[in-house]
Amino acid sequence: SQSEMKSPTVIVQKFGGTSIGKFPLNIVQKVIKSYEAIIQAIRAEHVQAVQAYVKSPAIARRLVQEILNECRKILDILDSVHVVQAVSPETLDCVVSVGENLACRFMAGILQDQGVSSEVVDLSQAFVCPPDQVINQAFFNELAESMGGFVKESQATVPVVTGYFGSIPGGLLARIGRGYTDLCASLLTIGLEAKELQVWKEVEGFYTADPRRVPNAKLLPRISPDEASELTFNGSEIIHFLAMGQAVRSKILIRVRNVMNPSGAGTIVQPMNPNAARTDFDHDIGSNTGKSKSRCTVLGQQCAKTPVAMTSKHNIVVVNVFSHERSTRPSFFTDIITVLGRWKLAIALMCTSQVQLSMAIDSQAPPTMNADDDDSTLANPNLLRAIEQLQKIGTVNVLSKMAVISLVGRSMRCSSRTAGGVFTVLGDNDVKIQMIAQGQSCLATPEPLFHLT
C-alpha cells in the first residue's frame, strides 16, 4: 500500500558498554577514598580509545574535549557527595548518566570518522519526571511517546541514543535496576513504531543451559516471552523482564544478537502463534539422543512436554524462620517480609507452613559493595542485619552456600515424569533438596517450574 511504501523500516539496536555497566558503581563504591584517581583512569581510558580508533584530527580533538568536560562534570558531582557524606539514588543516576554520555560520544565520533552521519541523543532531555510520578503503564506509554518524538527530531542517519532516560522517583537504578537500558530500548522501539528490537549482548542468545557449565548446551533459536522471563528471573539475565513485557504488549519482535558474532542467528523472543504447532521447542537439555519427544495439547496448541531450558543461581542462603508459638499469630509472615523489605533483600524462592517460613535469598553484597571473598558465606551486610532482626520474630536457621536450579518450560505440566526425572538425577549425584517452589505463571498456560536448592 501507499502508506507502507512511505513508512521506512526502523530497527532499534541497543548496545551496552563498560563505562555504562561497570564504572558508575565502582565510582560510588570508592567515592570517599579515591574517586579522583578513578575518574582520572576513566578519562585516560577514553582518551586512549579516541587516539586508537579515530583518524580525523578534528573529530579526535572535539571528542577529547567532550571527554574532559564530562569527567569534570562527574568530579563536581562526587565533590558534592564528599561534602555531604551521602549518596542518594538520584546522585547515583547522575553518575550513570555521565558514563553513558562518554560511551555515546565515543561511538558517535567513530561513526562520524567513518563518514556516517551521527550524533548523540540524550534521552534524559526527552522527558521530565515529576517527583510524585507513579511508575505504571500510563507512565511507560507517555515515556515511549516522548522518546520516539525526541529521537525523530534528530537529523542524523544514525542517532546514538543514551540508555539513561533521566531519573525517576526513588532512583532509576533502585527502581528498575541495571537493565534499565533494555527497558529504554524497548520503549524507544515502541515510540518509533518499529517492528523489531535488536538487543546486542556478549552472548549468542538464550541457551538450554549455561554453556560455561554445560558444554553441550544448545542455542534456542526461538523462545516465548514467558519462558524468557522465567530464565531472566532465575539466572539467565539477558533481557530485562520489563523490557520484554513492554515489547510483547506492543507486539514487537525481540532478537538477541552477539556483538562479537554479528552474523550469528541469535535468539528470537516472540509470542507463540496459538494456531501453530510448537516444533521450534523440541529441545532436550544437554542431550543428543535424537529420540522423539512426547507431546501434548494445551488450549488447542501442540507442545513438547520436556523443559525448554534450565538455569541456576549460586551464592544462595536459605533462611528458615520458625514461630515461637505453637499457633502462628496473623502478623508472623507480615513481620518477616517487612524486615526483608527494610533491608532491600529480594526473595528468590519461598515455602511456607503454618509455623515456618523458608526463603532463598542471594547472599552476595549489593553492587556497590565488595563481595568477592569466597570465604565469607554471608557477604551481604544487609542480610546479616536482617537475620538479627528476624531472630526477634522467631527461631532462625541459616543454610549457606546453596544454589537454585530452575527448569523452565510451558508444557511441563503435561508430563508426569519431569519431577521424577529431576529427583532421580539429583539423587544419583547425592544432591540434597532443601526447597521446592513453583515459578511464575506463563502468559498462555500456567506451568510449574522446579526450583531446587
Side-chain angles (χ1 to χ4, degrees):
S1 66
Q2 185 176 1
S3 61
E4 291 177 342
M5 294 177 62
K6 289 183 179 180
S7 301
T9 301
V10 179
I11 296 177
V12 177
Q13 296 180 325
K14 180 263 176 182
F15 293 83
T18 300
S19 297
I20 299 171
K22 297 179 180 178
F23 279 125
L25 297 177
N26 289 338
I27 291 169
V28 177
Q29 172 188 348
K30 301 178 181 179
V31 65
I32 302 301
K33 296 180 180 179
S34 58
Y35 63 84
E36 291 184 352
I38 295 176
I39 301 304
Q40 183 178 359
I42 294 174
R43 181 171 58 230
E45 180 183 82
H46 283 76
V47 170
Q48 290 173 4
V50 170
Q51 295 171 345
Y53 292 102
V54 179
K55 306 303 180 184
S56 169
I59 295 177
R61 284 194 300 270
R62 191 198 74 232
L63 274 179
V64 169
Q65 187 58 51
E66 290 176 352
I67 291 169
L68 296 178
N69 293 340
E70 290 295 333
C71 288
R72 182 66 259 172
K73 175 182 176 182
I74 195 171
L75 279 174
D76 291 341
I77 294 173
L78 296 177
D79 284 341
S80 300
V81 171
H82 181 74
V83 172
V84 299
Q85 297 286 298
V87 181
S88 68
E90 291 74 20
T91 300
L92 188 57
D93 289 347
C94 289
V95 174
V96 172
S97 70
V98 175
E100 294 210 7
N101 273 310
L102 285 172
C104 289
R105 292 182 187 280
F106 176 66
M107 288 303 301
I110 291 180
L111 287 168
Q112 294 165 2
D113 192 54
Q114 298 293 320
V116 179
S117 172
S118 180
E119 68 175 354
V120 176
V121 178
D122 185 357
L123 282 184
S124 66
Q125 306 299 317
F127 181 82
V128 178
C129 187
D132 58 347
Q133 176 67 57
V134 177
I135 308 303
N136 54 17
Q137 187 57 50
F139 167 72
F140 289 137
N141 293 342
E142 185 178 1
L143 188 57
E145 183 178 355
S146 299
M147 286 181 177
F150 196 71
V151 172
K152 288 177 182 178
E153 294 177 359
S154 172
Q155 300 299 314
T157 303
V158 182
V160 179
V161 182
T162 61
Y164 175 80
F165 50 86
S167 187
I168 62 176
L172 190 60
L173 280 176
R175 296 290 299 275
I176 305 297
R178 286 181 58 180
Y180 69 85
T181 54
D182 292 343
L183 175 61
C184 175
S186 184
L187 293 175
L188 180 58
T189 305
I190 297 170
L192 292 174
E193 299 180 343
K195 300 301 181 184
E196 178 178 325
L197 167 61
Q198 294 181 1
V199 179
W200 291 80
K201 300 285 185 176
E202 294 182 5
V203 294
E204 294 289 341
F206 286 95
Y207 282 82
T208 55
D210 188 344
R212 296 169 298 181
R213 301 179 183 274
V214 183
N216 59 340
K218 302 174 184 178
L219 178 68
L220 294 169
R222 188 181 298 269
I223 191 171
S224 64
D226 46 326
E227 289 165 331
S229 294
E230 286 286 1
L231 290 172
T232 298
F233 274 119
N234 296 294
S236 300
E237 299 177 359
I238 296 180
I239 307 176
H240 195 281
F241 71 96
L242 283 178
M244 283 191 292
Q246 294 300 312
V248 169
R249 190 174 183 274
S250 298
K251 299 180 180 180
I252 292 172
L253 180 145
I254 302 176
R255 194 185 303 270
V256 182
R257 306 290 293 274
N258 188 346
V259 69
M260 296 181 290
N261 181 26
S263 61
T267 298
I268 294 176
V269 182
Q270 187 178 35
M272 292 177 56
N273 182 353
N275 298 320
R278 190 184 181 202
T279 57
D280 289 324
F281 287 85
D282 290 343
H283 298 285
D284 189 10
I285 300 172
S287 172
N288 295 308
T289 60
K291 296 180 180 179
S292 60
K293 316 280 190 305
S294 59
R295 305 180 68 81
C296 69
T297 300
V298 178
L299 297 182
Q301 180 178 349
Q302 194 179 20
C303 304
K305 291 183 180 180
T306 55
V308 170
M310 67 169 290
T311 186
S312 62
K313 280 185 178 181
H314 298 266
N315 301 304
I316 297 295
V317 168
V318 174
V319 179
N320 300 304
V321 184
F322 303 87
S323 174
H324 291 310
E325 304 171 18
R326 184 173 181 179
S327 178
T328 306
R329 64 183 185 279
S331 64
F332 176 69
F333 298 115
T334 303
D335 293 342
I336 294 173
I337 300 302
T338 299
V339 169
L340 297 178
R342 181 182 303 131
W343 294 108
K344 297 180 173 59
L345 297 172
I347 302 174
L349 302 176
M350 182 168 61
C351 293
T352 64
S353 68
Q354 187 176 4
V355 294
Q356 176 186 349
L357 179 61
S358 298
M359 302 160 290
I361 301 173
D362 190 346
S363 66
Q364 289 188 333
T368 53
M369 303 294 292
N370 183 5
D372 296 331
D373 185 3
D374 292 334
D375 294 332
S376 176
T377 58
L378 294 176
N380 190 338
N382 286 359
L383 180 56
L384 292 173
R385 297 185 184 100
I387 291 174
E388 291 177 359
Q389 295 186 3
L390 290 175
Q391 290 173 340
K392 301 176 182 178
I393 300 174
T395 302
V396 178
N397 171 257
V398 178
L399 302 174
S400 60
K401 294 184 178 180
M402 309 297 288
V404 174
I405 299 175
S406 306
L407 298 186
V408 177
R410 293 165 58 95
S411 303
M412 289 191 296
R413 70 182 302 177
C414 299
S415 174
S416 60
R417 299 180 179 179
T418 302
V422 171
F423 293 141
T424 299
V425 171
L426 293 175
D428 290 344
N429 289 275
D430 195 28
V431 177
K432 298 179 177 62
I433 303 171
Q434 296 294 337
M435 291 173 58
I436 301 176
Q438 179 173 317
Q440 69 171 8
S441 297
C442 294
L443 298 179
T445 310
E447 300 295 340
L449 287 93
F450 296 89
H451 301 265
L452 310 171
T453 62

